[in-house]
Amino acid sequence: MRLVVVGSQWGDEGKGKVTDFLGQKADVVVRSQGGNNAGHTILIGEEKFALQTIPSGIFNPHIKNVLANGMVINPKEALKELDNLEARGINNYQLFISNRAHVIMPYHIMLDGGYEALKGANKIGTTKKGIGPCYADKVNRIGIRVGDLINEESFKEVLTNTLPIKNKELAMLGLPTLEFSDIYNEYKEYGKRLSKYVCDTSYLLYEEIEKNSNILFEGAQGSMLCLDHGSYPYVTSSSPTAASVPVNCGIAPKFIDHCVGICKAYTTRVGEGPFPTELHNELGDLIRERGHEYGTVTHRARRVGYLDLVVVNYAKRISGIDSLALMLFDVLTGIDELKVCIAYELDGKEIKTIPATLNEYAKCKPIYIDLKAWHSDISKIRKYEDLPIEAKDYIETIEKYTNIPVDIISVGPERTETIIRKDVFKK
Ligand code: IMP
């Protein structure tokens, strides 16, 4: 079976826990887009691991972990992540990196900061990892791919062609320019260390599909951060949708069997941009503290709001979500003013989709339904029937307004603190 996991909000929905959980049944785990702007926190026993580039299957020696062609990879940071894992005893793994993935170079990181500064008050609030400038070079056909990085001659040639252009761009932004030899010497060493992992991952995936392996495509970011369908321009520079998986991995669309949308029981976002259900009050602060809503990558405090089902329905439409995994449900225990947004009001009219322009989106007012709170601890519950009636009502409201079954409910950070209503990842 081939299963795609997508974020159905603005990222940080808790995909790490679900991919880790479902990954126990995977033969292959694939990251298809983004780079080290993503952050997955995985709890294994007492140990907490924060992954940014490396897929969550890395902890299981039987799993093939793939970084596919749609990714942008910072070789220095990826190696640091592997070194950190090694230092904590994780050294028996299978890792495959696409020779067609693009390389995040030091000038991309500098340009990310430079363009953000230039935008001033209109900055995107990026993670400053060089993601946007790296994808921009890919589109502009001046990118450096992993296949080039690991081949000294190719690397010399592409860097010779690219660096003068990037130095002009750096100078234009008032940033220092870079020396060819410094970058070449440093990065060719990273290439040497990574070369043992590099291959044609599209071919590898094709062979795994032929063998009928269980393949888990783990999404990074969320649908509302999609470059095409998200709250543009406050988005990332790739498409975190199920539709992007085939292109980003070099597989045919017909091979995707099921899509699980990860949905936090409330909404958060980092960075700038409209957020209709945002809570600017003590309740927002309470949820932030209870849910530990601080970025894994940038440590920024996340903005917090009520669950927005317009957003979830939008994600359902663009990704074809078949099941929902409801995350951090326990965080809402004891919250008396529970609300869920089911539509927006825009210029006196009710709408149920996301407007294309920022201007219109910023004017949208949420239309809520009120729900009743539950007060007992739900973190020990493992059967849906045992949940308090009010908690079941919250879940059934989501199902009613999205028409998607909530098949997984997370009631705590541990793998075991999960209610499974349906096995969504079968052999
Ligand atoms: P970039 O991906 O660093 O270019 O950042 C663009 C926008 O996407 C910013 O608002 C970031 O905060 C947001 N973003 C990028 N990656 C993640 C993620 O993994 N979770 C949540 N937000 C993200």
Side-chain angles (χ1 to χ4, degrees), residues 10-13 15 36-40 112 124-133 220-222 225 233-238 269-272 297-298 300 302:
W10 274 281
D12 308 315
E13 296 94 350
K15 292 180 292 293
N36 62 330
N37 50 346
H40 282 174
D112 200 348
I124 306 296
T126 73
T127 58
K128 301 215 176 119
K129 302 286 179 185
I131 308 293
Q221 291 91 38
L225 292 172
Y234 297 107
V235 293
T236 191
S237 300
S238 62
R269 83 172 291 185
V270 276
E272 312 304 317
V297 177
T298 58
R300 286 180 287 182
R302 295 178 185 143

Side-chain angles (χ1 to χ4, degrees), residues 90-359:
I90 313 292
N91 47 23
N92 185 12
Y93 52 77
Q94 301 183 62
L95 180 64
F96 303 88
I97 305 178
S98 169
N99 45 15
R100 289 177 173 82
H102 278 250
V103 180
I104 300 178
M105 300 294 290
Y107 46 77
H108 291 135
I109 298 163
M110 294 163 72
L111 290 169
D112 200 348
Y115 280 112
E116 281 286 88
L118 207 60
K119 286 174 189 160
N122 297 323
K123 72 178 195 306
I124 306 296
T126 73
T127 58
K128 301 215 176 119
K129 302 286 179 185
I131 308 293
C134 184
Y135 275 119
D137 279 3
K138 171 179 177 175
V139 174
N140 212 10
R141 288 146 297 170
I142 51 168
I144 296 179
R145 305 205 293 183
V146 171
D148 297 318
L149 181 74
I150 61 164
N151 177 310
E152 284 193 23
E153 280 315 301
S154 287
F155 184 44
K156 190 178 271 173
E157 194 181 319
V158 288
L159 191 64
T160 305
N161 294 336
T162 308
L163 194 59
I165 303 173
K166 302 318 292 183
N167 271 339
K168 284 205 174 115
E169 206 178 336
L170 288 169
M172 193 181 79
L173 293 184
L175 296 168
T177 56
L178 299 171
E179 278 301 321
F180 178 91
S181 56
D182 293 347
I183 301 192
Y184 179 70
N185 291 330
E186 182 182 347
Y187 278 70
K188 83 172 189 284
E189 293 307 315
Y190 300 144
K192 268 188 207 155
R193 281 193 63 197
L194 286 177
S195 63
K196 65 177 171 191
Y197 305 117
V198 178
C199 66
D200 182 342
T201 53
S202 157
Y203 193 79
L204 179 146
L205 289 173
Y206 185 73
E207 287 187 320
E208 293 296 329
I209 291 168
E210 293 262 283
K211 280 196 280 180
N212 205 20
S213 300
N214 256 13
I215 309 181
L216 178 71
F217 296 92
E218 67 167 59
Q221 291 91 38
S223 309
M224 289 300 286
L225 292 172
C226 173
L227 182 59
D228 274 80
H229 301 287
S231 45
Y232 190 88
Y234 297 107
V235 293
T236 191
S237 300
S238 62
S239 175
T241 62
S244 79
V245 168
V247 176
N248 285 329
C249 296
I251 63 160
K254 65 180 176 186
F255 292 129
I256 305 292
D257 297 315
H258 194 91
C259 176
V260 177
I262 313 299
C263 175
K264 209 176 256 188
Y266 45 94
T267 313
T268 59
R269 83 172 291 185
V270 276
E272 312 304 317
F275 181 176
T277 64
E278 184 166 11
L279 288 162
H280 299 278
N281 57 15
E282 281 175 11
L283 178 56
D285 297 338
L286 176 75
I287 296 176
R288 182 178 306 107
E289 291 316 310
R290 276 203 194 168
H292 310 291
E293 295 297 353
Y294 295 90
T296 353
V297 177
T298 58
H299 308 292
R300 286 180 287 182
R302 295 178 185 143
R303 298 158 65 193
V304 173
Y306 283 123
L307 179 60
D308 184 340
L309 293 181
V310 181
V311 163
V312 180
N313 270 321
Y314 189 71
K316 171 194 169 180
R317 181 154 58 81
I318 61 175
S319 275
I321 295 174
D322 301 297
S323 309
L324 283 175
L326 189 68
M327 310 306 291
L328 290 116
F329 193 39
D330 52 306
V331 170
L332 297 185
T333 300
I335 290 181
D336 284 317
E337 312 116 84
L338 267 190
K339 289 177 197 291
V340 170
C341 166
I342 51 159
Y344 299 143
E345 189 208 300
L346 174 63
D347 296 330
K349 286 201 192 96
E350 187 178 312
I351 60 162
K352 289 194 170 158
T353 187
I354 312 285
T357 65
L358 273 186
N359 190 340

